[in-house]
Amino acid sequence: MDIDTKRAYDAPAKDDGLRILVDKLWPRGISKEDAQLDYWAKDVAPSGALRKWFGHDPDKWGEFRDRYFAELDACGAPLEDLLEHVRAGHVTLVYGAKDEVHNNAEALRDYLKAKA
């Protein structure tokens, strides 16, 4: 399973594979044309309440992952759809957060690797 992560503000590359936006909200200032996304998996993004609670605070990272994984466990069909894309080949999970280490795409990549 080949899963990368990339900020929405970084230029798309030919070797990104299938580009999947994994945020609930569209990244500010990015046009659909510039994003060059193949799929928007907003239904597997963290809930608004979880996103607000986390606030990209690295001290909350472990608890955020636990809570997000619980949400993903209850996600159902949207998660299965995403897993099908992941199993089909190379994907890049695209996200808008500034923090390249503590964000939902990094957590989601770990979750997907464990599930697949």
Side-chain angles (χ1 to χ4, degrees):
M1 176 174 311
D2 192 10
I3 306 172
D4 290 320
T5 61
K6 190 176 218 179
R7 289 192 74 226
Y9 303 97
D10 295 337
K14 289 183 180 182
D15 64 349
D16 283 347
L18 190 71
R19 292 176 49 84
I20 303 171
L21 179 63
V22 293
D23 288 343
K24 194 157 301 275
L25 305 174
W26 190 266
R28 291 181 188 193
I30 301 290
S31 70
K32 289 183 181 183
E33 183 178 293
D34 289 342
Q36 295 182 26
L37 297 169
D38 298 297
Y39 180 64
W40 187 4
K42 61 183 163 187
D43 293 330
V44 300
S47 66
L50 179 57
R51 199 176 68 248
K52 289 176 187 174
W53 171 83
F54 175 47
H56 297 285
D57 180 350
D59 293 337
K60 295 180 178 178
W61 178 241
E63 180 68 18
F64 169 77
R65 286 171 50 95
D66 292 344
R67 291 181 184 193
Y68 184 32
F69 290 178
E71 287 185 358
L72 289 168
D73 286 341
C75 194
L79 179 63
E80 289 302 318
D81 290 345
L82 180 58
L83 278 166
E84 284 183 32
H85 289 295
V86 168
R87 290 179 182 131
H90 180 217
V91 300
T92 296
L93 304 178
V94 179
Y95 63 95
K98 291 180 183 178
D99 188 330
E100 295 183 13
V101 176
H102 305 101
N103 63 68
N104 64 297
E106 291 296 322
L108 180 58
R109 178 178 61 187
D110 294 344
Y111 181 90
L112 293 171
K113 285 185 174 184
K115 289 294 179 183

